[in-house]
Amino acid sequence: AKDSYRQLQDTFYKYMVKNGFDLQRGVPKEETNRQHYSVEEYEKITNFKQTKEIAKTLNVKNNTVSQYETGSREPTFAVIEKIARKCGYAIYFVNNKNNDIFTLNDLKRKDI
């Protein structure tokens, strides 16, 4: 079954390249010594369930949360607030002039 799947991938790759697509074929795991993970192991490694919960809380797609994590997309401050609350964190602001500390509850939106 694996060999027939690999043959299908190879045939598809050759067909696409022959028809002008600029593709790169991955290297088989036997050549790279990569470890295979089950779906459950991969979800645990990538914090899939937590990402899914946060995405639901923010009313965004899972990949949006992943983009926040990798830095390819910047969350708004409102999103940062929601993530902090969901994860049990508080956001503090420090006045660099006098070292006063403010929380979100201390500030009004017009003050920010």
Side-chain angles (χ1 to χ4, degrees):
K2 280 187 180 182
D3 289 335
S4 63
Y5 184 65
R6 187 168 287 162
Q7 287 174 347
L8 173 66
Q9 290 175 325
D10 290 338
T11 303
F12 178 73
Y13 169 76
K14 290 174 187 173
Y15 172 82
M16 295 299 285
V17 170
K18 180 180 170 186
N19 286 287
F21 290 90
D22 185 21
L23 300 177
Q24 293 180 353
R25 180 76 169 97
V27 180
K29 74 173 189 172
E30 294 82 14
E31 293 179 30
T32 62
N33 294 322
R34 287 179 291 179
Q35 183 177 354
H36 174 76
Y37 296 107
S38 69
V39 172
E40 293 81 16
E41 291 171 320
Y42 188 74
E43 286 180 352
K44 189 174 183 180
I45 291 168
T46 61
N47 293 322
F48 178 76
K49 288 182 181 177
Q50 184 179 16
T51 300
K52 195 173 177 180
E53 287 176 25
I54 290 173
K56 186 176 179 181
T57 299
L58 301 175
N59 198 28
V60 298
K61 295 181 179 178
N62 293 356
N63 67 333
T64 301
V65 175
S66 296
Q67 290 170 344
Y68 295 153
E69 292 172 337
T70 61
S72 62
R73 185 175 187 164
E74 292 289 325
T76 63
F77 188 77
V79 168
I80 293 170
E81 284 182 275
K82 288 180 183 178
I83 292 171
R85 282 195 194 108
K86 175 68 179 168
C87 296
Y89 290 94
I91 297 176
Y92 294 93
F93 299 91
V94 178
N95 182 329
N96 289 330
K97 292 179 183 175
N98 59 17
N99 289 329
D100 284 347
I101 297 175
F102 301 94
T103 67
L104 289 173
N105 295 332
D106 296 329
L107 301 173
K108 294 182 173 69
R109 288 287 171 204
K110 67 178 183 174
D111 296 333
I112 298 177

